[in-house]
Amino acid sequence: MELRHLRYFQAVAEELHFGRAAERLHIAQPPLSQQIRQLEREVGVRLLDRSTRSVALTAAGRAFLDRTIRILGAVDEACDQARRIADGVEGQLVVGCVGSATYSLLPRLVRELRVALPGVDLRVRGEMLATAQLAALHSKDIDLALMRPPVDDPAVTTETLRHDRLLIALPAGHRFAERTEIAMTDLHDEDFISHAGHGRSRMSTLVAGLCLDAGFRPRIRHEVEETSTLVTLVAAGLGVAVVPEPTAALEISGVCYRPLAGPGATVALLAAYPTADASPLIANVVDVLRATA
């Protein structure tokens, strides 16, 4: 039994006329009659009562027609779904986000994807450090990462989505809170709250480089993995921090933000994915990311 037998039977059962069914199927009537007889031999029962003047379904034929319609509908839906997945408009995507993107870009991305790609099931892992994101990309635990540069991995493709201004997060009431901007040289005597070091966080490496360029080594009082924890410790008065501007979206009380002075005081936000796993779905989501970012 082949799918064409079921499609032929459905046409005859719905038309109750071999001539009209053959015309609907764009085949000749004798081969159609032959295929229906072959189907009945395969099933082992008579599905149609035929006479010179009429065609009618038997009781077995009516039951078989109900199942046939469901089977062919399921096959058609499977084909449609396969095409949607191949076109990148349906499927599941897991995105890993650096902390500041979790609070700023991610909510807008989810809303925009619901409109642009409603067939995409988006899963999110927030507050991921760079090393964890790259490991998750290689292990296929995530499909796409929103992360900070640099990415020195030849197996990973990156695209810059935007550049975020760097801010200094200060405890409310700090002596620099009234300034319109703050230079790194002004912070040489400050305690710092930093993201996890030793290469795990791109921001910790960036902050260390900014401090060295300003002529001092940062005095790190606390290292944390989550941006929300970092800002909370600043609010507690335990130190200052250098953060991307979207971090301010957290709106944690007891913290004020001032721009970092100097040219190039920005950090890029990248979309990263394994080159070998590039797909139409990832390309479509990155298109939405570009517009959203």
Side-chain angles (χ1 to χ4, degrees):
M1 188 185 302
E2 300 179 14
L3 286 176
R4 61 186 172 87
H5 292 119
L6 300 182
R7 296 193 190 279
Y8 290 172
F9 171 72
Q10 182 180 355
V12 174
E14 291 176 347
E15 297 291 342
L16 293 178
H17 191 282
F18 276 86
R20 289 194 299 269
E23 184 176 347
R24 168 175 156 182
L25 294 166
H26 305 292
I27 62 174
Q29 183 173 332
L32 175 59
S33 299
Q34 182 180 6
Q35 293 295 315
I36 296 300
R37 285 194 295 272
Q38 183 179 340
L39 174 63
E40 288 178 318
R41 286 196 297 271
E42 178 79 20
V43 176
V45 299
R46 186 162 44 84
L47 301 174
L48 296 167
D49 282 328
R50 309 164 181 80
S51 71
T52 56
R53 294 185 177 182
S54 66
V55 177
L57 284 165
T58 64
R62 285 192 294 273
F64 193 78
L65 176 61
D66 289 341
R67 293 296 184 96
T68 294
I69 290 172
R70 291 203 292 271
I71 290 168
L72 292 177
V75 170
D76 290 342
E77 173 56 28
C79 293
D80 289 342
Q81 184 180 39
R83 294 186 194 102
R84 292 194 297 270
I85 291 172
D87 291 339
V89 297
E90 183 175 320
Q92 185 179 98
L93 192 78
V94 183
V95 179
C97 294
V98 69
S100 55
T102 303
Y103 309 120
S104 60
L105 177 60
L106 188 59
R108 295 200 306 276
L109 173 63
V110 172
R111 289 194 297 268
E112 293 297 327
L113 279 176
R114 283 176 181 167
V115 175
L117 298 169
V120 174
D121 178 14
L122 182 68
R123 309 289 177 89
V124 177
R125 290 181 58 185
E127 289 280 13
M128 294 186 73
L129 297 178
T131 52
Q133 286 176 306
L134 289 173
L137 286 174
H138 283 291
S139 65
K140 303 185 186 301
D141 289 330
I142 64 175
D143 306 296
L144 181 68
L146 301 179
M147 61 189 304
R148 303 295 181 183
V151 177
D152 300 318
D153 188 332
V156 174
T157 296
T158 64
E159 178 174 334
T160 300
L161 297 173
R162 70 184 186 199
H163 289 83
D164 292 323
R165 182 168 60 168
L166 293 175
L167 305 178
I168 307 300
L170 305 166
H174 192 279
R175 67 184 188 280
F176 294 152
E178 299 303 318
R179 295 191 180 185
T180 56
E181 61 180 18
I182 300 171
M184 285 303 300
T185 52
D186 297 329
L187 302 175
H188 65 281
D189 289 329
E190 298 289 335
D191 290 332
F192 278 78
I193 312 298
S194 172
H195 284 92
H198 307 293
R200 287 184 292 162
S201 165
R202 299 296 188 255
M203 281 302 300
S204 68
T205 302
L206 174 62
V207 172
L210 289 170
C211 292
L212 288 176
D213 290 343
F216 68 97
R217 291 182 181 275
R219 189 167 63 242
I220 307 296
R221 181 160 183 181
H222 291 282
E223 286 189 350
V224 300
E225 293 196 358
E226 295 185 349
T227 301
S228 57
T229 304
L230 180 145
V231 177
T232 300
L233 294 182
V234 172
L238 298 180
V240 302
V242 181
V243 297
E245 185 172 19
T247 305
L250 280 169
E251 297 183 350
I252 293 177
S253 62
V255 180
C256 64
Y257 300 91
R258 296 294 178 265
L260 176 62
T266 62
V267 61
L269 179 66
L270 308 178
Y273 53 89
T275 305
D277 294 335
S279 67
L281 175 56
I282 288 177
N284 288 341
V285 171
V286 171
D287 283 344
V288 176
L289 270 169
R290 287 194 206 100
T292 305

